[in-house]
Amino acid sequence: MSGLTHFDDSGASRMVDVSEKEATQRLARASGLVRMRPETLRLILDRGMAKGDVLEVARLAGIMAAKRTGDLIPLCHPLGLDSIQLDLTATDAATLRIEAVVKVCARTGVEMEALTAVSVAALTVYDMCKAVDREMVIDSVRLEEKSGGRRGHFRREPT
Amino acid sequence: MSGLTHFDDSGASRMVDVSEKEATQRLARASGLVRMRPETLRLILDRGMAKGDVLEVARLAGIMAAKRTGDLIPLCHPLGLDSIQLDLTATDAATLRIEAVVKVCARTGVEMEALTAVSVAALTVYDMCKAVDREMVIDSVRLEEKSGGRRGHFRREPT
Amino acid sequence: MSGLTHFDDSGASRMVDVSEKEATQRLARASGLVRMRPETLRLILDRGMAKGDVLEVARLAGIMAAKRTGDLIPLCHPLGLDSIQLDLTATDAATLRIEAVVKVCARTGVEMEALTAVSVAALTVYDMCKAVDREMVIDSVRLEEKSGGRRGHFRREPT
Amino acid sequence: MSGLTHFDDSGASRMVDVSEKEATQRLARASGLVRMRPETLRLILDRGMAKGDVLEVARLAGIMAAKRTGDLIPLCHPLGLDSIQLDLTATDAATLRIEAVVKVCARTGVEMEALTAVSVAALTVYDMCKAVDREMVIDSVRLEEKSGGRRGHFRREPT
Amino acid sequence: MSGLTHFDDSGASRMVDVSEKEATQRLARASGLVRMRPETLRLILDRGMAKGDVLEVARLAGIMAAKRTGDLIPLCHPLGLDSIQLDLTATDAATLRIEAVVKVCARTGVEMEALTAVSVAALTVYDMCKAVDREMVIDSVRLEEKSGGRRGHFRREPT
Amino acid sequence: MSGLTHFDDSGASRMVDVSEKEATQRLARASGLVRMRPETLRLILDRGMAKGDVLEVARLAGIMAAKRTGDLIPLCHPLGLDSIQLDLTATDAATLRIEAVVKVCARTGVEMEALTAVSVAALTVYDMCKAVDREMVIDSVRLEEKSGGRRGHFRREPT
């Protein structure tokens, strides 16, 4: 563990210099959970079958947020993105799981873009349902997989 | 449970009309955790004592994100904010806790601003430490307290 | 016709000074059309009945754009908004009509917010359908109604 | 007509994956009209000869909006742009025509950037003249030409 | 001199809490200089008399930047603004002076908005002329006057 | 001196077409000064040794602003950046010097990104200290060095 690369020798924060790195195909996959009351999830899923769709609004919010990651995370490189995809699925009666996959051809990875997409989609679910359930919790936001770049393929062990 | 107020009768999404509500003093407090390896947290805390400071960068990212909540969350009202405060503290050897308090005088509450501040601060911690610990997890992002507005004071029960 | 109020006496552009005006309840309603091939509109409406929904994506894009009007239109005042609502309806076999209503309590009106919502929703329809119909046209973007402020109520004559 | 490429098989919206496409030189040209009363257009053109210049403000607004297209249109790829040019010309006594040409070397086209530039320039004309003519109408916003990319050169037939 | 109000007792940065302050009419005036070669200034002024106008582009850039001050300056409150005005005048053969006046009715002042307007207008002058004069210098960016708020009227002594 | 390249033949402003230029490694270095009372600088430096750090907040503000240069400067190309670094050092008892170095591989240079980083970092210093010293002045913001691109290496003569 060589230390935190966002700091230079004197300890000042900086954006890591990637100008010597090669632009390669990169992918990152992240996930997160929104825990809520079963009635809330039922309401989301029922409206999803009608015209209004919490899942669709959250998905769009996540996609749009991924594009603005470099604006939100101070030391993150601004990147054009080639693909962003979000899935939202109920994994049990009280849990909505969000997964984002982001791709780019760039000198640096897109973990932050995938994690930002998941977080903002989760916040949007909260916003749209808070009138009926203020106690929803966003849990387990984490990187699942990452490929491209010098450090090789990473895939998180299932827990 | 009367239904999801972000949808009108036909199910289309909309920004809730708050023009009839009164502008009152409002406060929201939210929190979240970043779980990591003890070495990672030690590294954060040690650098915090030198000039470079993960906690300070994350705090600023959270403050700046709170100001842009209306840009990120599709159906959230754009609000001027009167106060944003973030605290980041280690609660055990492997956990960093983030808490945000936001205040405004407005026609609608600032839960989303507080939750967005916490989420983006947590993502920033991830970004700055991911080179040494890709398996960090963001957990338990939730509303702790809310006051002002018609629906009265809310304080989450300790779990 | 006294002249263009965005220019001062020397002809330089400026943001009109509204500090002497009173904050009042204001509303603006704007509309626009997207003309397309009947097959394209049928495809939009059919998907609208399934989970994917061009209309929903366009509606959200319009809502989010309304919130950023002051960022896009150089001499427009930045405003918090109290309500934004968009309707998208087919008015004949080849025409989608978009209508936006925006409300605020402020020193200046929200015509630009309503017109921006309509325009960006229309552009989003174009974006989502351009792979099947590049010749869609955005037409008749205009102010329909406006109330609040010194100059009284305005309602466009039907043509 | 194979269907709307912004949706995946289950109907959820997504940003189309362009990672397999080649980066090529791309150009898009779009146009639109602002119809107004002859006195309004005369006022615009007269001020254009002095220091204040509606056309110049609208041109800049269009250029700046083109750069932010990926922020405004939910499923549009964020792109660096190599060139943006806008022309505003009176085509008859009551009509201002706006044309935008955008160029980039990228994996996807710039139709949306050109159309967004035209739309925001037109909205800016409206904003700057609305005090003297609220009934201006934005018409015929459409793609005129597009080159680069797999689907070859497109040029709209004159109507 | 009681200390830096942007820090709380433990030294962490925060956005100062203004929720107890009264909303009052506030004004700030700031200025700055762009020093350049006389030929450069002549070129600016000559084009200013034709259709292209460095001064007009810079003025708009300053106005638009003022509206985004809260986005740029980390601990600055986001504010709606009631008026922004910029003047650019040649004060000698090699100096362009920029002055901005900003007004708002708010709980906090608009010094940062006025200074940001001046700085971004000056940067825009640099951008538009850098092909002919890379050695231009931005000098003496400073607050000239401020009124409203608890601390009374401030007017900088002429130097 | 052939004229201002931001204008086309008719004098209208435009974003210069760089589509024929080659993408090369580019670097720009800019600097600026913040002049203040010695007590103010002492206060900054002392807090810098504790947890609160004006220099750190200003550094982050500069980094984030560099990433948004294309949004702020109307005719500037939007660019992904490979590296941004800021140094803030006291050069005498009353002067803080800010230097920014920006790198990119692109078709156009990054002078504006470096100058914007310096300007916004300086404005942030002003914001954080204005409660104790309203008369601070931002001086000598200028390009120090530039490499890459057709016009070769530039290094400003020491004055």
Side-chain angles (χ1 to χ4, degrees), chain F residues 36-98:
Chain F
M36 62 191 80
R37 287 188 291 160
E39 315 73 292
T40 309
L41 185 52
R42 221 151 39 221
L43 208 49
I44 292 176
L45 298 176
D46 289 354
R47 299 304 299 238
M49 286 177 253
K51 270 185 286 177
D53 194 341
V54 172
L55 304 183
E56 183 65 9
V57 179
R59 186 183 291 119
L60 284 171
I63 289 172
M64 295 182 84
K67 294 194 268 184
R68 304 177 69 185
T69 303
D71 255 14
L72 288 173
I73 310 298
L75 303 174
C76 200
H77 293 81
L79 295 177
L81 303 179
D82 288 338
S83 170
I84 309 168
Q85 221 162 331
L86 268 96
D87 283 301
L88 297 97
T89 43
T91 53
D92 64 40
T95 310
L96 187 69
R97 183 176 188 271
I98 303 173

Side-chain angles (χ1 to χ4, degrees), chain E residues 18-24 26 106-108 149:
Chain E
V18 299
S19 60
E20 301 300 312
K21 292 167 105 176
E22 218 182 333
T24 58
R26 289 157 189 274
R107 289 183 172 75
T108 182

Side-chain angles (χ1 to χ4, degrees), chain D residues 49-139:
Chain D
M49 285 176 256
K51 270 185 287 176
D53 193 340
V54 172
L55 304 183
E56 182 65 8
V57 179
R59 186 182 291 118
L60 284 171
I63 290 172
M64 294 181 85
K67 295 193 267 184
R68 305 177 69 184
T69 304
D71 254 14
L72 288 173
I73 310 297
L75 302 174
C76 201
H77 292 81
L79 295 177
L81 302 179
D82 289 339
S83 170
I84 309 169
Q85 221 162 330
L86 269 97
D87 282 301
L88 297 98
T89 43
T91 53
D92 64 41
T95 310
L96 187 69
R97 183 175 187 274
I98 304 174
E99 183 171 290
V101 179
V102 178
K103 294 187 202 168
V104 76
C105 176
R107 290 182 172 77
T108 183
V110 281
E111 300 96 302
M112 294 319 302
E113 281 74 7
L115 287 162
T116 300
V118 167
S119 294
V120 173
L123 290 167
T124 301
V125 171
Y126 188 95
D127 180 47
M128 296 184 74
C129 303
K130 68 182 190 291
V132 298
D133 185 357
R134 298 191 263 223
E135 304 198 12
M136 283 173 290
V137 175
I138 301 171
D139 256 337

Side-chain angles (χ1 to χ4, degrees), chain E residues 25-42:
Chain E
Q25 285 293 344
R26 289 157 189 274
L27 172 152
R29 188 163 56 86
S31 69
L33 306 175
V34 188
R35 300 192 195 281
M36 61 191 81
R37 287 189 289 160
E39 319 67 297
T40 310
L41 186 51
R42 224 153 35 223

